[in-house]
Amino acid sequence: MMEGLIGLLDPWLWWIVGLVLLIAELLLPGVFLMWIGIAALALGILSLAFSSFAFWIWQLQLLLFAAFSVLAILGGRKLLAKGDAPPDEPFLNRRTASLVGRSGVLTEAIDGGRGRMRLDDTIWIVEGPDLPEGTHVRVISGEGERLSVEPGQKA
């Protein structure tokens, strides 16, 4: 019974498999099933052309499907890797990194290695050498919510 169904659907079986995989790609996360679905559709094209020939046996079809799947996955990875453009907002979600090099004035003296400074609309905890309030400082690094500063010149 199963062989009769496969024999009846033989030219179209790979098209059905390919479309099912592409639909599954829409429902599942990732971009993996798409390449296997494309491989199945490519085999469907070959199956339409060669299904009447004696050499077009199911073992050859499975072997070609495996090879096409590997080629499609490798080609897809290469294609997607080319699309990696540098981000237009390199400091997005890394606010302290965007402040490196900026200058400001201490609003609270650095005593014992810690103080505060205002940059834009935010008061930041700063670390650095002991300095009096009102000193001009320059941000040299940032980690988490703390900035490291050094004495700077008036901006």
Side-chain angles (χ1 to χ4, degrees):
M1 163 128 176
M2 194 65 169
E3 285 186 22
L5 181 62
I6 291 175
L8 180 66
L9 293 176
D10 187 38
W12 299 101
L13 183 63
W14 290 110
W15 285 93
I16 294 168
V17 169
L19 291 175
V20 166
L21 286 169
L22 290 177
I23 290 169
E25 178 66 40
L26 293 174
L27 301 174
L28 300 172
V31 188
F32 184 73
L33 293 177
M34 179 174 74
W35 307 116
I36 299 173
I38 289 172
L41 292 176
L43 197 60
I45 292 170
L46 288 178
S47 185
L48 285 174
F50 296 124
S51 64
S52 60
F53 293 99
F55 69 86
W56 196 249
I57 57 177
W58 67 269
Q59 293 93 340
L60 175 64
Q61 292 178 39
L62 286 179
L63 184 66
L64 286 174
F65 176 63
F68 286 177
S69 295
V70 169
L71 290 174
I73 290 168
L74 293 176
R77 288 183 63 182
K78 191 171 187 176
L79 179 71
L80 290 178
K82 285 185 180 179
D84 289 342
D88 58 343
E89 293 288 336
F91 297 117
L92 185 64
N93 296 328
R94 297 181 347 168
R95 187 169 180 202
T96 55
S98 70
L99 299 174
V100 173
R102 301 261 320 259
S103 296
V105 177
L106 291 176
T107 57
E108 182 182 303
I110 299 179
D111 186 24
R114 285 191 148 165
R116 295 182 190 269
M117 76 178 287
R118 176 182 287 274
L119 280 175
D120 298 328
D121 62 346
T122 306
I123 304 251
W124 292 90
I125 298 172
V126 295
E127 297 174 339
D130 290 351
L131 297 168
E133 182 178 333
T135 304
H136 289 274
V137 292
R138 187 173 69 87
V139 178
I140 55 173
S141 69
E143 183 177 327
E145 56 190 42
R146 290 190 167 82
L147 302 174
S148 295
V149 296
E150 66 182 7
Q153 296 181 358
K154 190 174 184 179

